[in-house]
Amino acid sequence: MPAVPLPSSPGPGPRGARRRRALQLAAVLLAVGGLLLWWLLPLGQDQPSGRITFSTGVRTGVYQRYGQLLKDALDRELPRVATTLRDSEGSQQNLARVASGEADFTIATADAVATYLQEERPGAEDLRGCTRLYDDYVQLVVAKGSPVRTAADLRGLRVGVGQEGSGVRLLADRLLDAAGLDPSQDVRPVPAGIDTMPKLLEQGRLDAFFWSGGLPTNAVLRLSERFPVRLVPLDRELVDRVHEEGGPSRYYRSAVIPADAYPAAQDGPVQTVAVANLLVTTDRMDAALTEGVTRTVIGSRDRVGREVHPAQVVDLRTAIYTDPLPLHEGARRYYRSVKP
């Protein structure tokens, strides 16, 4: 009996082809999704964890507000890291805290860092840089009707020069000296911070005050909006005389406060002195954690900059230049990872 042929298998009809294409598309999407997750998340690596203390600045200063906003960003980006903020008098106290281990990260001006290194203060050799941030601008503020037109006109007057532990104090002393004044003899120095100097000027208990901060500094802006004040120019010639001192003074540069920084206190741009701020830690800080903090500082620039305008100028191209401090290894890893 002849064999009965079995029916042949159905060919790949339209339904089978569509199913295969769907499976192939799903496989591609899974592969792409996996690559995206690998790129966005540090798979296979432990997320940094632990606790860090960030030393900021006086209550109404830019350091303090920047620290608050950076803490918010760190809480989002490094959820296993608990960040605590500590107010301070400013750059000098900040550096002492980080060097001694009282704080883990801080902000300080480049001239204050150079002074700390030059004087070989405790722990100076352990300090490391993470990021060059924004510039501070020196603001010499007087009442609108004041006869003071230059720094040399401050002779015999009550001048707010910043707290002992601040970078403002370093700057004020150097600028007064360059103007031919002995900071301790030729003026009546008042060691106050930006949290109190505007009120003292408004009350007539100060004739002038120095402040060094990002533009605009809210405390100065609010003062200018409620009380008639004026910014005193600090011309290029004064900066040249400061540079003659050498050492940390080389970190100062001539700059201009734009006319729209304090509209009520300026008739136009004002010549002044600027100095860079650095994000500072020590070589004891964990590399992975430092890399994460550095990444967050750069990544949060736009969000932080909406409230702290100086943060808008943090630039990946210049952030790596932390002179006079060597770059921390963790920060170096970050910059290598984003190098084009």
Side-chain angles (χ1 to χ4, degrees):
M1 179 178 181
V4 179
L6 295 173
S8 60
S9 299
R15 174 183 286 181
R18 285 197 299 271
R19 184 175 182 183
R20 280 199 306 276
R21 284 197 296 270
L23 289 172
Q24 290 169 348
L25 178 60
V28 169
L29 290 175
L30 282 172
V32 171
L35 285 171
L36 283 173
L37 283 173
W38 175 83
W39 175 258
L40 295 172
L41 300 174
L43 297 179
Q45 301 177 15
D46 290 334
Q47 284 282 329
S49 62
R51 305 183 66 86
I52 59 172
T53 298
F54 197 111
S55 188
T56 57
V58 293
R59 286 182 294 109
T60 56
V62 177
Y63 283 3
Q64 201 260 3
R65 184 58 181 147
Y66 182 85
Q68 288 176 336
L69 295 170
L70 180 58
K71 178 185 183 304
D72 293 342
L74 290 169
D75 289 345
R76 288 191 302 271
E77 301 300 323
L78 302 177
R80 296 176 58 189
V81 177
T83 304
T84 300
L85 302 181
R86 260 186 96 181
D87 294 352
S88 81
E89 294 182 352
S91 290
Q92 296 187 78
Q93 186 175 47
N94 282 342
L95 291 168
R97 282 180 177 172
V98 169
S100 69
E102 292 180 62
D104 303 297
F105 291 90
T106 195
I107 306 174
T109 54
D111 65 310
V113 173
T115 300
Y116 200 93
L117 298 175
Q118 183 183 62
E119 296 179 355
E120 298 182 346
R121 297 184 188 176
E125 68 280 1
D126 301 328
L127 295 177
R128 295 292 183 271
C130 301
T131 301
R132 175 176 173 151
L133 298 169
Y134 55 87
D135 285 352
D136 274 355
Y137 290 74
V138 180
Q139 298 148 58
L140 177 53
V141 184
V142 298
K144 198 126 192 168
S146 169
V148 174
R149 297 292 168 181
T150 69
D153 296 334
L154 295 172
R155 185 181 298 274
L157 300 184
R158 300 162 298 175
V159 182
V161 293
Q163 295 166 296
E164 291 293 338
S166 68
V168 179
R169 186 59 178 267
L170 288 175
L171 264 165
D173 285 353
R174 287 177 177 138
L175 291 171
L176 287 169
D177 185 66
L181 302 175
D182 184 324
S184 61
Q185 301 294 325
D186 294 333
V187 301
R188 295 159 63 185
V190 179
I194 194 62
D195 54 340
T196 58
M197 290 191 296
K199 193 68 175 177
L200 294 175
L201 183 72
E202 190 176 3
Q203 294 172 343
R205 296 163 61 189
L206 276 182
D207 299 302
F209 69 80
F210 283 96
W211 168 245
S212 176
L215 296 176
T217 295
N218 283 336
V220 177
L221 182 62
R222 289 195 295 268
L223 172 66
S224 71
E225 292 171 343
R226 68 175 186 264
F227 182 75
V229 295
R230 176 169 49 82
L231 299 182
V232 177
L234 302 170
D235 60 28
R236 188 179 299 273
E237 184 179 334
L238 184 67
V239 178
D240 290 341
R241 290 200 294 271
V242 172
H243 283 165
E244 289 173 5
E245 300 176 17
S249 298
R250 72 184 179 89
Y251 292 96
Y252 303 136
R253 65 176 180 85
S254 289
V256 172
I257 299 176
D260 60 354
Y262 304 106
Q266 300 175 241
D267 295 326
V270 176
Q271 193 76 33
T272 191
V273 181
V275 61
N277 281 295
L278 307 177
L279 180 66
V280 180
T281 187
T282 70
D283 60 359
R284 300 185 299 272
M285 183 52 53
D286 176 73
L289 181 50
T290 303
E291 180 179 359
V293 170
T294 305
R295 185 182 303 276
T296 302
V297 167
I298 302 298
S300 64
R301 179 193 67 182
D302 293 339
R303 181 178 296 188
V304 173
R306 285 195 287 269
E307 293 195 45
V308 178
H309 298 302
Q312 295 173 355
V313 301
V314 175
D315 190 336
L316 183 59
R317 293 169 299 180
T318 58
I320 195 170
Y321 299 111
T322 58
D323 183 48
L325 290 177
L327 198 62
H328 189 285
E329 177 56 32
R332 191 185 308 278
R333 290 182 191 176
Y334 165 69
Y335 294 119
R336 284 175 177 164
S337 74
V338 294
K339 186 176 180 180

